[in-house]
Amino acid sequence: MGMIFGLDIGYSNVKLTFGESEGRPETVVFPIGAAPLKTFNDAVQGVEGGHLDITKVDVDGETYAVGYEPGKIANAPRYISENYTKTKEYKALFYAALLYAETNHIDLLVTGLPVSHYKDEALRKELQEMMQGEHKVGARRTICVDKVSVIPQPGGGFINALNEAIESGDEKKANIMQHGSCLVIDPGYFSNDFVVFEEGSLVQDASNSSLQATSKIFELAAKRIGDSIPHRPGKDLKPHNLEKAIRNGTKVIYFQGQEVNVAEELKGPSKEIGKLALSEVLNNLREHSPDIIVLVGGGADFFEESVKETFSGLEVIKSLDSVAAVSKGYWMWGVSK
């Protein structure tokens, strides 16, 4: 088919997998920081010597700085809302992602929405229309997207997990996923999405989204750390400091001069939020009984223990690259069309 572009714009990272349909794709992940360039320049003075790596794009006549760590600069709010896809920041992230493909023409772009949003046909159509067509991303750069397909976000995780099973030669696992009932759980930053596939087809009434997601874990952990370490009012530990530590693989951070073991502090909140999220999953499953569980998404590690406890006796598959699993699945879906 030509150039296929799998795009997963989350609330923490942007994940993209792209390449010619006949070849091996490339995957890129970058943080979702996005702000008007003037706001960025005014705020970044004095931060790390006044320099942060960014990508510049033009959005409706305004230049945006994209790709820095969220929460890194002041006066640039992080959008965590139902209207995320309608913001200029989201469009800026989309344009920055397009630049990574280093091409002026994309034959098919595949993206997704959280399950609860995907059920809104008008929202799907609006996103499709925004992404399709010609995009003037810079003064001298226009990129054309011929066609856009929008699918349920965890569907990309299902396709990627099935492909991993086939490539590893695990016929039993692949057969269960294709001919049995497969529950895919995709814990993101803002929403925790889950879908059921029976014989490879999506079961809409057993699929939904929960707000008991990774951001809730960071918020609860930050509060508990703050409660245990004396500090001045208004000088609370910010949840994004924990998020940044996880993103960068940092084991220890400091708060009020005290050493904080990030992994240890996240254990309790992960279990508590995981229990709440899995309760919602079970309520939605109703009469559906999965044969296998697939766990994808940036928050997969935090929810793995709760998933295994809730579905004891069932095999739980965690993707080899949980963070980018969905965008890889989008690309594979595009190749199959």
Side-chain angles (χ1 to χ4, degrees):
M1 173 177 277
M3 173 60 73
I4 310 296
F5 197 95
L7 177 61
D8 179 16
I9 300 179
Y11 289 86
S12 183
N13 291 306
V14 175
K15 292 79 65 177
L16 48 140
T17 300
F18 55 92
E20 296 292 330
S21 56
E22 299 81 12
R24 301 287 293 185
E26 181 179 350
T27 295
V28 174
V29 178
F30 63 86
I32 54 92
L37 184 60
K38 184 180 185 310
T39 301
F40 175 85
N41 286 339
D42 289 345
V44 80
Q45 299 303 318
V47 177
E48 295 185 354
H51 173 75
L52 290 175
D53 289 331
I54 58 168
T55 298
K56 296 178 184 179
V57 294
D58 288 346
V59 180
D60 302 331
E62 187 175 18
T63 302
Y64 269 69
V66 180
Y68 57 86
E69 190 78 34
K72 190 71 176 178
I73 66 171
N75 304 319
R78 180 178 191 167
Y79 286 88
I80 304 178
S81 74
E82 299 284 338
N83 295 318
Y84 187 38
T85 59
K86 301 178 182 181
T87 64
K88 279 192 173 184
E89 286 72 17
Y90 186 93
K91 194 171 184 178
L93 294 169
F94 165 51
Y95 279 6
L98 291 180
L99 287 173
Y100 275 96
E102 297 183 349
T103 180
N104 293 329
H105 182 261
I106 294 169
D107 294 276
L108 173 61
L109 185 150
V110 183
T111 191
L113 286 168
V115 179
S116 58
H117 295 176
Y118 177 80
K119 292 178 180 179
D120 184 338
E121 186 177 351
L123 184 58
R124 294 203 310 267
K125 185 177 180 181
E126 185 177 356
L127 181 61
Q128 187 177 32
E129 290 177 349
M130 186 273 281
M131 290 185 166
Q132 196 164 295
E134 287 193 350
H135 301 283
K136 188 175 175 60
V137 299
R140 300 180 180 178
R141 186 73 184 277
T142 298
I143 300 173
C144 181
V145 179
D146 281 352
K147 185 178 179 181
V148 175
S149 292
V150 181
I151 67 175
Q153 198 163 288
F158 173 80
I159 296 166
N160 181 68
L162 177 58
N163 183 71
E164 287 180 351
I166 292 171
E167 286 196 340
S168 69
D170 194 329
E171 293 184 14
K172 179 181 178 182
K173 193 180 295 181
N175 283 333
I176 293 175
M177 292 182 67
Q178 288 175 300
H179 305 295
S181 178
C182 178
L183 170 63
V184 184
I185 303 175
D186 177 12
Y189 188 83
F190 174 70
S191 65
N192 197 334
D193 299 304
F194 49 94
V195 296
V196 173
F197 288 91
E198 290 190 349
E199 297 182 354
S201 297
L202 175 69
V203 182
Q204 287 233 28
D205 67 350
S207 306
N208 214 329
S209 301
S210 166
L211 294 182
Q212 301 298 335
T214 310
S215 58
K216 297 288 187 181
I217 295 174
F218 292 143
E219 289 167 9
L220 182 55
K223 182 180 183 305
R224 288 186 176 171
I225 293 167
D227 288 345
S228 66
I229 299 176
H231 60 280
R232 287 180 294 159
K235 299 297 181 180
D236 302 326
L237 177 66
K238 301 296 188 292
H240 71 74
N241 289 333
L242 296 172
E243 176 192 5
K244 179 184 177 183
I246 292 298
R247 190 199 309 275
N248 296 336
T250 304
K251 295 181 179 180
V252 172
I253 62 173
Y254 291 89
F255 178 61
Q256 296 295 304
Q258 301 296 309
E259 188 175 280
V260 176
N261 185 308
V262 176
E264 284 299 317
E265 295 295 340
L266 289 172
K267 280 183 180 179
S270 294
K271 193 167 185 177
E272 290 183 37
I273 300 301
K275 185 177 180 180
L276 294 173
L278 270 296
S279 177
E280 292 186 37
V281 173
L282 291 174
N283 288 337
N284 277 265
L285 287 181
R286 300 187 183 108
E287 73 274 14
H288 299 281
S289 180
D291 300 304
I292 196 167
I293 314 294
V294 170
L295 187 57
V296 300
D301 289 345
F302 302 122
F303 289 87
E304 185 175 11
E305 182 179 345
S306 297
V307 170
K308 288 181 175 178
E309 286 181 2
T310 302
F311 297 98
S312 59
L314 293 182
E315 182 171 11
V316 177
I317 305 169
K318 189 169 71 171
S319 294
L320 300 176
D321 181 0
S322 296
V323 173
V326 171
S327 71
K328 290 180 178 181
Y330 288 164
W331 184 84
M332 295 169 198
W333 191 91
V335 169
S336 71
K337 298 298 148 183

